[in-house]
């Protein structure tokens, strides 16, 4: 955009067989009219590179035509020509007897349109002038009305017609809309099928001299066809007629309807019939501008012009989409819905990095104006401009071409954009992070300085390279999610006393543990100290054991042949080994297994402990769960020198002889899994870290 120019009628147009972006850059009076010679229209390709600049290239009453804001419509085979509107104010006196005081004008603002080529030459192919074909007394406005002009000076000529849209049909005839006469005109083109002279008005729809004696309606609740102050008239071959946006209001004359609407009108030789009407959901009366677009799916897309509202309705009039883009006085001349892929040049990507001070988080602002495929951004930072950059932040597109997020501060930054498939689209230049000096920072916040701050010249603080973040050498293991129960603080504190070194999950908070048990009783308090307590167990290789066996439940079925041992640490105490223990029929505590075990020997005197696995394991045994065994303990039993810590219970509990309830693989784990005979598939989302010690002690 050029300075001091406003954009109008932005839309997707077909140029040379492909989609292009078309709009008008306009400077001139409100409501349209003679403007500066700098007004023009543009055709851009998908990278927003200028392909063609289009403007009128004719004259009227000795004046060069200039581009008006109301119409830039690419037409013809592959968009080889375009329709443009213009205004010329010239000396032309008319007396309007129907107006109060019968005022006479000295200057008339004449509405015109021209068709020019889009090959770069802007050769004029056709020109039409309202004053030459329409009686000025057909107007519904008077000199001095709002936006109509007084007609007393050349710069304030009386706009009796106010042209606001032009279209062309397949026969080369034109459809012209006049707001101030509330009329649509069919104008003969260069090759009219009936042989009419170019520029001849073939018929008028609406207004004081309509060509259709019958203007009826088949829309329930609307007895006849009536519109006024309309905009955006278009030929609609699919209905053998036309469409328009009926404002029904100009904030001067009494409105002709209770609400503005889009209309579809079928036209025959003597009849114009309203066949569909698309009333604004809020039933507003739009006083200016507006649009009505037919969509390929049969729906209708409409804009309310003087209100910041747009909506989509089905052919039956049901609203399927409604939006606003702000509050009054925001307006939109027309609104459209198109499929459009914008791929701007990589050189157009911009990044601004900011931090309130040298130790504050950084705020990143990335912009790639018009990049419709950019959905994700990653921000990389470094302490030097040419050093090693590390990922500092990631942001997802929020529906605009500008993206904001915060991340780790460093002196330099760049951003990378990605599409929905993860393909890299482009990278910004490396920029230095802006840090205001202490005086300016006092008026800034954590994401920006006050509006109007000139960051290019504002005083900055001098920051040194931040300290490198601390990294942990502890291996991280992400386990499958399991169902857990909260344990008491006493139990957790007791577990910490074992000083067990284990492989931890990626969570910073140790999750609670679960326990499967039946009943409770009091164990012996006089037992001597144990000299060795491993924190975990290993897979049993025997079918029987004289020591308790404990297994750790697994949250998913296992099919892999690899098991991962957990590092254990023994803890020796000074008390002598125990040589005598009362006989008791104490059952072995067993936590259900979801993985079969393979027996490779017939016996073992050492206790064994299984290791929880986060990956599937394959076993050769057909047994699916370990049975619960009751072991008799003799008083003459020799002292134990090794006992798993996981079998030690709080002093208030023992294990009963009742069977232990097993948890089927994949049940109540919190993370659904899909298993078959050979594999287990987990969700792709980050799993909740699992505590390897899942039994309360």
């Amino acid at each position: 955009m050029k300075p001091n120019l406003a954009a109008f009628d932005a839309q997707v147009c077909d140029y040379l067989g492909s989609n292009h972006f078309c709009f008008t850059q306009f400077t001139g009076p409100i409501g349209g009219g003679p403007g500066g010679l700098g007004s023009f229209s543009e055709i851009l390709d998908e990278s927003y590179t200028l392909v063609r600049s289009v403007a009128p290239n004719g004259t009227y009453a000795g004046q060069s035509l200039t581009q008006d804001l109301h119409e830039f419509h690419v037409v013809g085979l592959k968009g080889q020509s375009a329709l443009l509107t213009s205004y010329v104010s010239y000396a032309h006196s008319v007396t309007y007897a129907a107006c109060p005081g019968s005022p006479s004008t000295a200057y008339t603002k004449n509405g015109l349109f021209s068709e020019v080529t889009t090959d770069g030459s802007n050769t004029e192919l056709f020109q039409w002038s309202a004053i030459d074909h329409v009686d000025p007394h057909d107007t519904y406005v008077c000199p001095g009305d709002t936006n109509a002009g007084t007609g007393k000076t050349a710069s304030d000529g009386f706009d009796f017609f106010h042209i606001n849209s032009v279209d062309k049909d397949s026969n080369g005839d034109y459809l012209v809309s006049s707001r101030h006469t509330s009329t649509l005109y069919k104008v003969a083109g260069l090759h009219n099928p009936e042989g009419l002279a170019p520029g001849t008005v073939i018929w008028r729809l609406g207004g004081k001299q309509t060509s259709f004696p019958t203007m009826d309606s088949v829309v329930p609740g609307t007895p006849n066809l009536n519109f006024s102050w309309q905009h955006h008239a278009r030929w609609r071959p699919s209905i053998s007629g036309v469409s328009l946006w009926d404002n029904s209001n100009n904030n001067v004359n009494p409105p002709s309807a209770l609400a503005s609407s889009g209309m579809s009108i079928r036209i025959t030789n003597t009849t114009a019939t309203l066949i569909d009407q698309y009333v604004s959901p809020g039933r507003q009366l739009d006083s200016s501008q507006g649009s009505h677009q037919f969509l390929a799916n049969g729906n209708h897309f409409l804009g309310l012009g003087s209100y910041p509202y747009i909506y989509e309705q089905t052919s039956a009039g049901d609203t399927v989409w409604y939006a606003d883009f702000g509050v009054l006085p925001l307006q939109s001349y027309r609104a459209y819905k198109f499929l459009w892929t914008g791929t701007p040049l990589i050189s157009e990507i911009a990044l601004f990095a900011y931090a309130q001070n040298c130790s504050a988080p950084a705020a990143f602002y990335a912009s790639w104006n018009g990049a419709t495929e950019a959905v994700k951004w990653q921000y990389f930072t470094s302490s030097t401009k040419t050093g090693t950059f590390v990922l500092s932040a990631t942001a997802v597109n929020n529906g605009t071409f500008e993206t904001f997020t915060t991340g780790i501060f460093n002196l330099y930054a760049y951003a990378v954009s990605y599409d929905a498939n993860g393909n890299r689209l482009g990278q910004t230049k490396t920029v230095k992070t802006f840090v205001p000096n202490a005086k300016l920072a006092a008026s800034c916040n954590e994401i920006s300085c006050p509006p109007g701050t000139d960051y290019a010249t504002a005083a900055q603080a001098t920051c040194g390279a931040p300290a490198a973040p601390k990294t942990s050498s502890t291996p991280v293991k992400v386990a499958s999610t399991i169902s857990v129960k909260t344990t008491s603080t006493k139990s957790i504190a007791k577990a910490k006393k074992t000083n067990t070194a284990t492989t931890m999950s990626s969570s910073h908070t140790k999750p609670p543990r679960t326990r499967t048990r039946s009943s409770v009783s009091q164990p012996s308090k006089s037992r001597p100290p144990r000299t060795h307590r491993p924190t975990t167990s290993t897979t049993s290789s025997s079918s029987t054991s004289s020591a308790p066996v404990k297994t750790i439940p697994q949250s998913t079925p296992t099919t892999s042949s690899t098991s991962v041992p957990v590092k254990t640490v023994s803890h020796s105490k000074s008390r002598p080994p125990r040589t005598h223990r009362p006989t008791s029929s104490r059952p072995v505590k067993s936590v259900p297994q979801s993985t079969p075990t393979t027996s490779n020997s017939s016996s073992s005197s050492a206790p064994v402990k299984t290791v929880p696995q986060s990956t599937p394991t394959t076993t050769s045994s057909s047994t699916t769960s370990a049975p619960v065994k009751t072991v008799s303990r003799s008083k003459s039993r020799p002292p134990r020198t090794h006992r798993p810590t996981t079998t030690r219970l709080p002093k208030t509990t023992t294990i009963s002889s009742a069977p232990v309830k097993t948890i089927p693989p994949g049940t109540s784990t919190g993370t659904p899994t899909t298993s078959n005979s050979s594999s287990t598939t987990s969700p792709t989302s980050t799993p909740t870290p699992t505590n390897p010690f899942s039994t309360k002690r």
Side-chain angles (χ1 to χ4, degrees):
M1 289 293 298
K2 289 188 176 182
N4 302 319
L5 294 178
F8 285 87
D9 204 20
Q11 59 186 291
V12 175
C13 61
D14 180 10
Y15 180 66
L16 301 181
S18 63
N19 282 343
H20 284 68
F21 188 71
C22 301
F23 68 103
T24 295
Q25 296 196 44
F26 176 75
T27 177
I30 296 176
L37 295 177
S39 298
F40 56 93
S41 296
E42 290 187 330
I43 301 176
L44 311 180
D45 64 16
E46 289 187 346
S47 68
Y48 304 98
T49 300
L50 177 63
V51 176
R52 287 286 182 262
S53 182
V54 184
N57 195 23
T59 61
Y60 185 85
Q63 300 182 43
S64 296
L65 300 183
T66 60
Q67 175 69 68
D68 171 58
L69 66 89
H70 287 92
E71 191 70 270
F72 170 46
H73 187 20
V74 176
V75 296
L77 182 64
K78 295 186 176 180
Q80 294 179 349
S81 62
L83 302 174
L84 309 169
T85 52
S86 300
Y87 285 84
V88 170
S89 186
Y90 70 108
H92 184 79
S93 179
V94 179
T95 299
Y96 294 90
C99 294
S102 300
S104 295
T105 60
Y107 292 88
T108 295
K109 183 187 288 187
N110 186 25
L112 306 93
F113 80 86
S114 56
E115 182 176 357
V116 301
T117 61
T118 56
D119 58 1
S121 67
N122 291 328
T123 301
E124 185 179 87
L125 303 176
F126 187 87
Q127 184 188 116
W128 186 83
S129 159
I131 197 69
D132 296 327
H133 300 277
V134 177
D135 184 350
H137 298 98
D138 287 348
T139 187
Y140 286 99
V141 297
C142 293
D145 285 353
T146 303
N147 295 329
T150 63
K152 295 180 179 180
T153 63
S155 61
D156 194 29
F158 177 59
D159 183 8
F160 81 96
F161 191 77
H162 195 88
I163 187 171
N164 61 22
S165 73
V166 187
D167 195 14
K168 186 178 182 180
D169 68 11
S170 59
N171 292 323
D173 293 334
Y174 302 94
L175 181 66
V176 178
S177 171
S178 165
R179 170 178 169 84
H180 287 173
T181 66
S182 295
T183 304
L184 302 186
Y185 301 85
K186 181 178 181 180
V187 176
L190 292 174
H191 308 288
N192 176 262
E194 287 79 27
L196 298 175
T200 301
V201 174
I202 300 174
W203 51 247
R204 296 170 173 83
L205 177 60
K208 294 179 180 180
Q209 299 189 49
T210 182
S211 302
F212 300 91
T214 302
M215 296 179 64
D216 58 9
S217 169
V218 296
V219 175
T222 304
N224 52 59
L225 171 61
N226 185 31
F227 60 86
S228 63
W229 318 105
Q230 77 289 336
H231 285 79
H232 198 216
R234 288 291 185 260
W235 292 115
R236 299 300 178 187
S238 61
I239 63 171
S240 301
V242 299
S243 68
L244 56 84
W245 173 255
D246 174 28
N247 296 83
S248 293
N249 179 40
N250 73 339
N251 277 348
V252 177
N253 301 64
S256 59
L258 297 177
S260 301
S261 64
M263 289 185 171
S264 298
I265 304 169
R266 179 181 295 118
I267 295 176
T268 62
N269 291 334
T270 60
T271 302
T273 303
L274 178 65
I275 60 173
D276 285 308
Q277 187 173 20
Y278 309 95
V279 180
S280 59
R283 303 192 69 81
Q284 295 92 346
L285 269 172
D286 174 24
S287 62
S288 69
Q289 310 161 93
S291 55
H292 177 191
Q293 178 191 10
F294 277 36
L295 300 180
N297 64 355
N299 288 355
H300 299 257
F301 194 77
L302 307 104
L304 269 81
S306 61
Y307 287 91
Y309 308 136
I310 50 182
Y311 62 99
E312 180 178 343
Q313 291 185 349
T314 66
S315 57
D318 297 323
T319 301
V320 296
W321 188 85
Y322 178 80
D324 68 76
F325 50 88
V327 297
L328 291 172
L330 287 178
Q331 303 178 1
S332 175
Y333 177 59
R334 290 176 183 168
Y336 299 99
K337 183 178 180 180
F338 291 103
L339 291 176
W340 172 252
T341 301
T343 56
L345 301 176
I346 294 178
S347 60
E348 297 296 321
I349 310 178
L351 172 66
F352 176 67
Y354 165 90
Q356 189 175 13
N357 55 62
C358 299
S359 60
F364 301 106
Y365 299 83
S367 174
W368 199 2
N369 198 19
T372 60
E373 304 306 290
V375 299
K376 177 183 176 183
W377 293 84
Q378 288 186 333
Y379 301 87
F380 298 84
T381 59
S382 174
S383 59
T384 63
K385 190 172 184 179
T386 58
T388 301
F389 282 74
V390 298
L391 180 64
S392 175
T394 299
V396 177
N397 190 303
N398 59 2
T400 67
F401 298 129
E402 290 76 37
T403 303
F404 163 77
T405 191
T406 58
I408 301 172
F409 167 78
N410 218 323
L411 302 182
Y412 295 90
Y414 69 81
V416 178
S417 176
Y418 300 87
D419 66 14
N421 296 320
N423 298 315
R424 182 186 176 110
L425 298 178
Q427 176 179 319
T428 69
K429 295 179 180 179
T430 299
V431 300
K432 186 176 181 179
T433 303
F434 177 88
V435 182
N437 65 3
K439 182 178 180 180
L440 177 58
S443 61
C444 300
N445 58 34
E446 61 273 12
I447 61 173
S448 67
C449 289
T453 300
D454 186 354
Y455 292 99
T457 60
Q460 299 188 46
T462 301
C463 299
K470 295 181 180 181
T471 57
S472 174
S473 59
T474 304
V476 176
K477 178 181 178 183
V478 179
S480 299
T481 304
I482 65 170
S483 177
V484 297
K485 287 177 61 178
T486 303
T487 61
S488 66
T489 304
K490 181 177 179 180
S491 298
I492 295 175
K494 187 175 182 180
K496 289 183 178 179
K497 291 182 181 179
T498 62
N499 297 320
T500 304
T502 62
T503 302
M504 298 300 295
S505 70
S506 59
S507 174
H508 295 289
T509 303
K510 187 174 181 181
R513 307 177 176 119
T514 56
R515 173 181 59 193
T516 304
R517 60 186 178 87
S518 297
S519 61
V520 298
S521 64
Q522 179 70 28
S524 172
K525 295 184 178 180
S526 62
R527 59 187 179 186
R530 288 170 291 181
T531 60
H532 189 89
R533 291 179 63 198
T535 61
T536 59
S537 61
T538 57
T539 306
S540 175
S541 60
S542 65
S543 57
T544 62
S545 175
S546 61
V549 178
K550 180 177 182 181
T551 60
I552 306 297
Q554 294 170 323
S555 61
T556 57
T558 58
T559 56
S560 172
S561 60
T562 303
S563 61
V564 182
V566 178
K567 184 178 178 181
T568 62
V569 179
S570 63
H571 302 276
S572 177
K573 298 184 180 180
S574 59
R575 59 187 181 183
R578 185 172 53 184
T579 59
H580 184 85
R581 185 179 182 94
T583 302
S584 63
S585 180
R586 296 182 62 187
V588 178
K589 177 179 180 180
S590 176
V591 182
Q593 274 185 304
S594 61
T595 306
T597 59
T598 304
S599 177
N600 296 323
S601 65
S602 60
S603 65
S604 175
S605 61
V608 284
K609 182 176 184 179
T610 58
V611 180
Q613 296 169 324
S614 60
T615 57
T617 61
T618 304
T619 66
S620 59
S621 174
S622 61
T623 307
T624 59
S625 62
V628 178
K629 292 181 64 68
T630 301
V631 181
S632 173
R633 305 197 179 190
S634 172
K635 293 183 178 180
S636 62
R637 173 183 174 185
R640 285 188 302 176
T641 60
H642 186 105
R643 182 172 181 172
T645 60
T646 53
T647 59
R648 182 179 179 185
L649 302 173
K651 293 183 179 182
T652 58
T653 63
T654 59
I655 305 299
S656 75
S657 60
V660 178
K661 182 180 180 181
T662 61
I663 302 175
T667 303
S668 300
T669 63
T671 303
T673 59
T674 303
S675 65
N676 53 35
S677 61
S678 60
S679 64
T680 300
T681 303
S682 299
T684 57
S685 59
T686 304
T688 302
T690 305
N691 185 356
F693 302 103
S694 60
T695 304
K696 178 178 177 181
R697 299 196 300 271

